[in-house]
Amino acid sequence: MSTTTAAEELAGLSATTLLRFATAGSVDDGKSTLVGRLLHDSKSVLVDQLEAVEHASRSRGAAEPDLALLTDGLRAEREQGITIDVAYRYFATPRRRFILADTPGHVQYTRNMVTGASTADLAVVLVDARNGVIEQTRRHAAVAALLRVPHVVLAVNKMDLVDYQEPVFARIAEEFTAYASDLGVPEITAIPISALAGDNVVEPSANMDWYGGPTVLEHLETVPVSHDLTGCHARLPVQYVIRPQTAEHPDYRGYAGQIAAGTFRVGESVTVLPSGRTSKIAGIDLLGTAVDVAWTPQSVTLLLEDDIDISRGDLIVPSGDAPATSQDIEATVCHVADTPLAVGQRVLLKHTTRTVKAIVKEIPSRLTLDDLSQHPEPGRLVANDIGRVKVRTAEPLALDAYADSRRTGSFLLIDPADGTTLAAGMAGEAFASAPEAPVAAASAQDDEGWDF
């Protein structure tokens, strides 16, 4: 493959045909109905699915199909009328393909929204036009900002219940936009809708001629999602070292993995972290074919000019763009386990393909998402809490700031006893507008043999 051809293909990826988006909203805001309407009106529902929804709706005494049942798949969800789990849906239109994460709205399941929105390019936050911006709305906006979701859509739902009044929509849009902008959300689009009636979901509404913006689907199809990978920090977490040791390839030694970000080229100088050893890329194998250039999310094998010690968990980066390595990590975490996370707790920290022992040295603060106030020194975090933590690891890690890379700036804290995921972490500052804070050095020695 020539460099010119690769560059042309790379440029073509910037106009991606795939959009990952998540939905969030308070209980009874109509989120599942919106998703169902979106799937139904975009002709993305199979006949047998629609027949099952119609049957279930009739059995509950409803005159019309309850489109919320298209996404509320768990029996407990249908019985309670709420979304509990993250429901993933895949659909497509002639203009774009979509991966939708329908996340729960109840405060008890805030951690599920973190799961669904962690890889999203866009978040749709629903608001009931009768209630306006409430506590849970602010919480969802804060989570979207925390996860650096680049696009946020405010869907003001149930406009039919407020007589489609423009002042109601304008007041809610102004309040939400001001709040989300203060959090550092880069782009906010407000759309007045009625998910039940179908207004401005797929088709423009005849009841809101004062609104001249896009429908929800039109915005999803046209929102720019930048996948221009040339400016990203190139990172390859090594997943496997390939040494066939056959007569045909006696000296072959390749380092395989999925490129987490950026682009690698033959002849480029690279550094292996955490060791800091340097070499040059002698070749790139892609699906058994030698190529000159490769980019995320391709899975490749890099061949280096020098025979150096590299193993699973190491990170290959361009020599001129290497992140600092450290055993002291300060990050924002969302606690997702039912058991608390406490100061002094021993954990495993998983970053890309590397897992190391670690100790929670400090929990400086817990974030109150309602008003963004900080509760200092809480001592522990419980389920759905978001807070700052300082962790000391047994081995140096090369983390990017989460603001620079959502792949290599994130990590998991794991219970070493049973493998339960305790918390999802984001290195660096919590919000885009947050001021820089110094990272304090920490020393750690564990009484039970974890010395680092």
Side-chain angles (χ1 to χ4, degrees), residues 307-438:
D307 186 11
I308 59 180
D309 183 17
I310 300 176
S311 59
R312 175 182 170 86
D314 287 348
L315 190 68
I316 300 178
V317 303
S319 295
D321 186 24
T325 59
S326 176
Q327 290 180 257
D328 299 304
I329 297 170
E330 183 170 5
T332 299
V333 302
C334 177
H335 192 63
V336 300
D338 292 326
T339 56
L341 181 72
V343 173
Q345 187 169 343
R346 295 181 300 161
V347 297
L348 296 177
L349 190 153
K350 178 176 174 56
H351 173 246
T352 62
T353 58
R354 190 178 189 86
T355 302
V356 301
K357 294 179 179 180
I359 294 178
V360 179
K361 297 301 297 178
E362 188 179 345
I363 302 179
S365 63
R366 183 181 70 240
L367 180 67
T368 303
L369 290 176
D370 310 333
D371 57 6
L372 301 182
S373 62
Q374 298 284 347
H375 178 75
E377 304 294 340
R380 66 175 193 165
L381 298 176
V382 299
N384 297 308
D385 277 350
I386 293 176
R388 299 289 293 172
V389 299
K390 294 182 180 180
V391 177
R392 173 80 173 179
T393 60
E395 304 169 26
L397 292 177
L399 272 77
D400 289 296
Y402 186 79
D404 295 332
S405 174
R406 296 170 75 183
R407 287 284 303 277
T408 55
S410 60
F411 60 88
L412 296 177
L413 297 182
I414 300 170
D415 188 334
D418 58 11
T420 300
T421 298
L422 299 173
M426 292 143 281
E429 290 298 329
F431 299 104
S433 57
E436 290 292 332

Side-chain angles (χ1 to χ4, degrees), residues 6 55 59 65 99 103 115 122 125 137 143 160 221 228 260 286 360 429 440:
H55 175 74
S59 66
I99 299 178
T103 68
T115 301
L122 180 146
V125 178
T137 308
V143 170
D160 53 316
E221 288 181 324
D228 182 3
L286 174 65
V360 179
E429 290 298 329

